[in-house]
Amino acid sequence: MPPSNTIKTRLCLISDTHSLPPNPPTDTHNPYRHPLPSSNILLHAGDLTKVGRYSEHLAMLSMLKNAPAELKLVIAGNHDITLDEEYYNRVGHYRHRYRSGYTAPSATYGREKFLSGGGTEAEDDGAVEDPAAIKALWTSPEAEAAGVRYLEEGTREFRLSTGAKVRVYTSPYTPAFCEWAFAYEREEDRYGGVEGARNPVPTFPPGVDVMLTHGPPYGILDQVVPGQESVGCEHLYRAAERAKPRVHVFGHIHEGYGARRFEWSTHNRSMIQVDESTAREERCAHVDVSESSPNPLRMGKETLFINASVVTVQYEPVNAPWVVDVDLPLDEGN
């Protein structure tokens, strides 16, 4: 039986939807299909959209408002360019004005091509979006009433009707590349306990129950093709080691989709095996690490890392959402 000070809680984890809703329920060969699995908490690790258009955000918010979960925690990713207002006003608007889109090598690619006489596809006829209006979508009373909480970088605590409470560290930021949003220089430690860190991750204890970041930590579900090079953040890895969360969910590296159980004392990492036919049938990849499971997670000693990208490197929405059963602390007031 679980200890009296915790309660089994179900998480549904997704990332990198890139404006692609779940496939129709009749598409039974595809585990990412409507409806999303029921959970207590749904977490979306960013890249909601392809390139941050108002219409894209509206569609993704509608999907999440209707998702079967009491609490829905959402962060942005590098593709959600209009949610990084400073970046959008400085350079990101070129992706809209010059149609440089979500596959262009940089935000200024379209502008440079246009100025060099590179063809009609770079014409300056794209509408510029209003970042404030888009952020207002995610923070509106209607979104909040549906359980949606749009989170920026930092630590927050939430309580559920079950009596569970969850302490979450969130960050939409990733190491800079190709002039995308929410970027920092790879040398910068924005997560650590060093002086000047932007929003340091709390050290265990108490640490946090869940880390929700757009990008992966270095060496964990972060390899890109070709070459299988690790591109995750070393500072984020050290922050996770310091915080020792029960679960750390991220996306960003589509080809890194999967789950690893990591033991901090030995650095032993074991891959979570998922039966594909079961995942298709249940519309999810299910992992139970609660106290009632045969092999419960040891808080402070292990972390379950999950890359929850629902799209492949070719942007095909075919990866199963992850469903994780984990024990969370009970609110002391209950």
Side-chain angles (χ1 to χ4, degrees):
M1 295 293 291
S4 59
N5 62 341
T6 64
I7 184 170
K8 187 174 181 176
T9 304
R10 176 158 288 189
L11 314 178
C12 178
L13 314 175
I14 58 174
S15 186
D16 294 79
T17 49
H18 289 289
S19 304
L20 298 165
N23 293 281
T26 53
D27 187 4
T28 55
H29 74 280
N30 193 324
Y32 177 57
R33 66 182 189 275
H34 184 80
L36 288 172
S38 295
S39 62
N40 300 108
I41 308 173
L42 185 150
L43 299 101
H44 193 305
D47 275 5
L48 298 143
T49 66
K50 288 182 178 176
V51 69
R53 288 292 191 185
Y54 185 94
S55 58
E56 293 180 281
H57 282 288
L58 194 63
M60 289 295 97
L61 177 58
S62 176
M63 177 191 82
L64 291 171
K65 284 167 67 175
N66 292 312
E70 177 182 346
L71 180 64
K72 302 145 190 184
L73 305 181
V74 180
I75 63 170
N78 58 288
H79 278 251
D80 304 317
I81 63 175
T82 39
L83 287 170
D84 187 346
E85 186 170 3
E86 183 279 329
Y87 158 85
Y88 188 73
N89 291 335
R90 175 172 47 85
V91 68
H93 62 91
Y94 289 127
R95 291 191 182 273
H96 291 163
R97 290 177 59 209
Y98 294 93
R99 300 184 186 178
S100 48
Y102 71 99
T103 59
S106 72
T108 53
Y109 171 77
R111 177 180 181 274
E112 292 163 354
K113 189 172 183 181
F114 176 68
L115 292 176
S116 65
T120 58
E121 71 270 28
E123 290 178 358
D124 184 8
D125 64 354
V128 176
E129 300 283 4
D130 180 357
I134 288 173
K135 186 173 181 181
L137 279 177
W138 290 100
T139 58
S140 68
E142 293 78 12
E144 185 171 347
V148 175
R149 301 292 184 273
Y150 172 71
L151 302 175
E152 297 179 335
E153 190 173 66
T155 303
R156 294 278 303 277
E157 193 168 283
F158 299 92
R159 286 162 174 78
L160 300 176
S161 60
T162 61
K165 65 178 179 180
V166 59
R167 195 169 189 232
V168 185
Y169 178 86
T170 57
S171 178
Y173 290 88
T174 51
F177 75 107
C178 295
E179 289 186 311
W180 282 107
F182 295 104
Y184 58 90
E185 294 304 317
R186 186 168 285 276
E187 296 77 19
E188 178 187 352
D189 183 359
R190 66 181 302 123
Y191 308 107
V194 299
E195 184 178 352
R198 303 292 182 97
N199 289 288
V201 180
T203 299
F204 180 85
V208 291
D209 299 299
V210 175
M211 288 179 66
L212 174 63
T213 63
H214 180 54
Y218 182 82
I220 300 178
L221 303 167
D222 69 333
Q223 292 182 326
V224 294
V225 294
Q228 298 300 304
E229 176 189 2
S230 284
V231 295
C233 178
E234 293 180 352
H235 301 297
L236 182 58
Y237 172 86
R238 286 193 287 270
E241 184 175 26
R242 193 175 64 251
K244 295 179 172 59
R246 303 170 194 263
V247 178
H248 184 175
V249 57
F250 46 86
H252 187 46
I253 306 304
H254 301 174
E255 53 267 60
Y257 172 84
R260 298 287 186 277
R261 186 168 175 156
F262 194 95
E263 184 178 48
W264 290 110
S265 63
T266 63
H267 288 191
N268 179 56
R269 59 192 74 188
S270 55
M271 184 172 67
I272 303 298
Q273 300 288 348
V274 174
D275 181 74
E276 292 186 8
S277 62
T278 302
R280 285 194 297 271
E281 181 180 349
E282 298 182 351
R283 310 189 318 281
C284 69
H286 179 224
V287 183
D288 188 353
V289 290
S290 71
E291 286 289 339
S292 60
S293 72
N295 190 14
L297 193 78
R298 296 173 297 155
M299 177 60 180
K301 296 183 178 181
E302 294 179 296
T303 293
L304 181 65
F305 288 99
I306 292 184
N307 182 323
S309 174
V310 298
V311 301
T312 66
V313 71
Q314 291 84 23
Y315 287 82
E316 299 167 320
V318 297
N319 292 335
W322 288 91
V323 168
V324 176
D325 290 324
V326 64
D327 295 304
L328 291 179
L330 281 166
D331 186 350
E332 293 176 358
N334 286 299

